[in-house]
Amino acid sequence: EDKVVQSPLSLVVHEGDTVTLNCSYEVTNFRSLLWYKQEKKAPTFLFMLTSSGIEKKSGRLSSILDKKELFSILNITATQTGDSAVYLCAVKAGTASKLTFGTGTRLQVTL
Amino acid sequence: SAVISQKPSRDICQRGTSLTIQCQVDSQVTMMFWYRQQPGQSLTLIATANQGSEATYESGFVIDKFPISRPNLTFSTLTVSNMSPEDSSIYLCSVEDPLGEDTQYFGPGTRLTVL
């Protein structure tokens, strides 16, 4: 059974801090890993990673994948209160389109 | 990307009743997905809906409880039948990128509370 584990489960930081969120996975025939930000109901797409060692970057957010060690990290620099959300990691495997999600990391950024 | 709308945004229902959730996409897509997110939990796939064929359900979900329609390439409905308080969740519609990228986008979700 495919498995995705995120850590930490929750995190409280001060505005301006840098955070690193972790996602490890155990799947058969890995295809891609996706990161989402969920503030209220709808997960918002952040990144899709398929190749090891290639950093994806968008503003203060960046992510990288290590297919040998089976994990990904999501970095957020100079955090702002608007970054407060649940960050979800999901994996696609084989030929299926199904996403297997981790439990998420709840990030709270305080003033 | 794809623009997805869902109706209703939220609802409060009595146990034993049924609710149909609608999902509309702004472009034609082959597959549409329905996920459930129970309180404090992550997302779990209920079923995959292809136009013109029966939906494919994940383990633990059955058609009698969650019937799905997919009448065309831009629309789908999910019905939550004979509801109980355990069905209180956020229900999310999702589609793959219409341009063929291996990305998946989510609708705004329906927050269902069953009393």
Side-chain angles (χ1 to χ4, degrees):
Chain A
E1 184 179 334
D2 296 341
K3 189 176 176 183
V4 179
V5 178
Q6 291 186 244
S7 64
L9 290 180
S10 66
L11 190 57
V12 180
V13 301
H14 290 107
E15 201 171 44
D17 288 350
T18 293
V19 298
T20 298
L21 310 182
N22 304 292
C23 175
S24 63
Y25 60 90
E26 292 177 27
V27 301
T28 304
N29 295 325
F30 170 87
R31 194 163 95 226
S32 58
L33 184 146
L34 291 81
W35 284 97
Y36 291 88
K37 177 183 182 183
Q38 186 178 31
E39 292 178 86
K40 290 184 180 177
K41 292 185 296 184
T44 303
F45 172 74
L46 296 174
F47 299 112
M48 184 184 72
L49 304 152
T50 56
S51 302
S52 279
I54 299 175
E55 185 183 52
K56 292 279 183 90
K57 195 171 172 66
S58 176
R60 297 177 293 102
L61 277 66
S62 63
S63 183
I64 198 161
L65 174 68
D66 186 328
K67 289 169 73 173
K68 182 179 177 185
E69 299 297 330
L70 308 183
F71 78 91
S72 173
I73 59 171
L74 175 68
N75 279 319
I76 308 175
T77 60
T79 52
Q80 303 171 356
T81 55
D83 295 327
S84 296
V86 174
Y87 290 84
L88 296 165
C89 171
V91 172
K92 279 192 179 183
T95 57
S97 297
K98 166 187 175 179
L99 284 172
T100 299
F101 280 86
T103 50
T105 294
R106 182 175 296 277
L107 172 67
Q108 183 179 352
V109 181
T110 62
L111 292 172
Chain B
S1 65
V3 177
I4 307 169
S5 60
Q6 276 185 243
K7 288 195 295 188
S9 173
R10 59 174 57 217
D11 208 341
I12 300 173
C13 301
Q14 297 295 321
R15 69 170 67 211
T17 63
S18 297
L19 176 72
T20 295
I21 303 167
Q22 299 178 8
C23 178
Q24 180 78 50
V25 190
D26 69 339
S27 50
Q28 294 183 340
V29 293
T30 304
M31 285 187 283
M32 296 176 78
F33 308 91
W34 288 98
Y35 287 83
R36 179 176 77 178
Q37 187 175 31
Q38 295 178 299
Q41 305 294 315
S42 193
L43 280 72
T44 302
L45 180 65
I46 298 171
T48 302
N50 288 328
Q51 193 268 335
S53 63
E54 292 284 329
T56 302
Y57 289 82
E58 296 297 305
S59 175
F61 298 97
V62 295
I63 188 171
D64 289 346
K65 176 67 176 177
F66 297 102
I68 287 171
S69 79
R70 182 79 202 273
N72 57 52
L73 291 173
T74 63
F75 186 80
S76 178
T77 67
L78 170 76
T79 298
V80 186
S81 303
N82 188 24
M83 290 183 284
S84 67
E86 292 70 36
D87 294 320
S88 298
S89 296
I90 297 172
Y91 292 86
L92 293 150
C93 170
S94 174
V95 303
E96 288 189 312
D97 191 321
L99 297 180
E101 296 289 330
D102 207 17
T103 308
Q104 213 166 99
Y105 300 100
F106 286 84
T110 297
R111 186 182 298 276
L112 170 62
T113 301
V114 184
L115 302 177

